[in-house]
Amino acid sequence: MTNTVLLAEDDRAIRQALERALTLEGYRVTAVPDGIEALAAIHRERPDVVVLDVMMPGVDGLQVCRVLRAEGDRTPILMLTARVETADRIEGLDAGADDYVAKPFEIEEVFARLRALLRRAAPAEPPAPEDAAIDGVLEVADLHLDSSARRVWRGGTELELTRTEFDLLELLARNAGIVLDHTTIYARIWGYDFGPGSKNLAVYIGYLRRKVDPEGRTPLIHTVRGVGYTLREE
C-alpha cells in the first residue's frame, strides 16, 4: 500500500523539490504552503505521516502540531527546522512532534526518518505464545511502563510522552541495567545510524529526563560517557 504524506513548507523551491523526491520514493504527497492549508488538508483526509516546516507565516508548524495533538490526532509528525539550538528542538518535541530534521538536510535522511516513523506507527502484530511474557508492564524502581497500552507512570504519576520518547524509554526499560550504545539505540528506534555528529539522541534523552527524572526524584536515566545510556536505580 502506498503511504500518504502531508507536506507543509512555505519555501516553494524546497516544497517542490521534496514533493518530487517523495513521489519518486513511492509516497503519495499532498503539498501545501502554510499551516492553515495543512490543517484543512489533514481534516479532509488523514495522511499516514505529516512533514511540517517550523517557520511558516501565520500558523506555523509548531501551532499545527499543537492543534493536531489537542484534537487527539496521533499521526506521526516530522518537523523540518532551520533552528539548531537544543531549546528550539525541545520546543518542537514539546508541541508533540515525533522527530525532526535540521536544515539543510540530505534527502536520504528524511527518507530514513519517515520509514522509522511509519514502522513505529504500524499496528503491532500479536505476540507469539512464547513471547507473551515480554509484553505487559515493565518496572524499574518506581517507574511502571505498560507496553501494550503505551502508558508510563513514575511514582504513581502518569507521564505524557511522545511516540519516540515512549519507544526510547521502553527500549531502556527492557534492557534495564545494560548500557546501550548510540549505534544500537539509533538502529532500534530510528532504524538508521545518523553518525557521531548527530545530536538527535542526546536531545531526546535530555527531554525524556525532564519527564522521567524531575527535580527531587532519584535519577533513573544515566549517561555512560563515550558509550551510551542505561536505565537503572542507583
Side-chain angles (χ1 to χ4, degrees):
M1 178 181 293
T2 300
N3 289 119
T4 56
V5 178
L6 185 285
L7 168 65
E9 166 62 67
D10 66 311
D11 186 305
R12 185 170 64 177
I14 295 177
R15 184 174 68 252
Q16 291 178 343
L18 270 174
E19 183 179 8
R20 284 195 301 270
L22 289 167
T23 300
L24 289 171
E25 189 69 6
Y27 293 97
R28 182 163 61 86
V29 184
T30 298
V32 297
D34 57 53
I36 293 176
E37 289 197 36
L39 287 171
I42 293 168
H43 289 152
R44 284 195 303 269
E45 181 181 0
R46 182 177 174 181
D48 294 313
V49 66
V50 175
V51 180
L52 296 173
D53 180 36
V54 171
M55 303 285 287
M56 292 188 291
V59 177
D60 64 19
L62 294 176
Q63 291 172 294
V64 172
C65 193
R66 291 189 185 102
V67 168
L68 293 177
R69 296 311 188 226
E71 293 175 345
D73 191 322
R74 305 309 302 169
T75 302
I77 296 176
L78 175 67
M79 305 293 284
L80 305 177
T81 177
R83 300 172 177 176
V84 296
E85 297 299 324
T86 298
D88 294 321
R89 295 171 178 174
I90 286 175
E91 186 179 12
L93 302 178
D94 199 22
D98 295 289
D99 202 355
Y100 68 87
V101 173
K103 296 179 179 179
F105 49 77
E106 296 289 340
I107 191 61
E108 291 299 331
E109 180 178 356
V110 174
F111 292 161
R113 291 178 187 267
L114 288 177
R115 288 194 297 269
L117 287 177
L118 289 167
R119 279 197 301 271
R120 296 204 300 275
E125 294 183 3
E130 61 271 23
D131 295 332
I134 68 172
D135 200 20
V137 177
L138 301 170
E139 297 185 0
V140 179
D142 62 346
L143 180 76
H144 301 265
L145 185 149
D146 187 332
S147 59
S148 57
R150 295 184 68 82
R151 299 175 67 184
V152 182
W153 296 263
R154 177 86 199 264
T157 300
E158 186 165 4
L159 310 181
E160 292 294 329
L161 304 182
T162 66
R163 184 190 308 273
T164 300
E165 289 168 354
F166 182 90
D167 290 343
L168 179 55
L169 183 60
E170 182 182 26
L171 176 64
L172 293 172
R174 288 194 182 280
N175 296 275
I178 299 172
V179 180
L180 299 178
D181 60 60
H182 297 82
T183 299
T184 297
I185 296 174
Y186 273 124
R188 295 285 296 277
I189 301 301
W190 285 274
Y192 183 83
D193 186 350
F194 297 105
S198 175
K199 296 181 180 180
N200 199 52
L201 178 55
V203 168
Y204 272 97
I205 287 289
Y207 199 57
L208 195 56
R209 276 186 171 129
R210 289 177 56 184
K211 297 181 178 182
V212 174
D213 295 335
E215 187 175 355
R217 292 267 184 199
T218 301
L220 296 179
I221 301 173
H222 302 275
T223 301
V224 179
R225 289 192 179 278
V227 183
Y229 302 96
T230 184
L231 185 73
R232 65 169 182 258
E233 184 178 15
E234 288 273 280

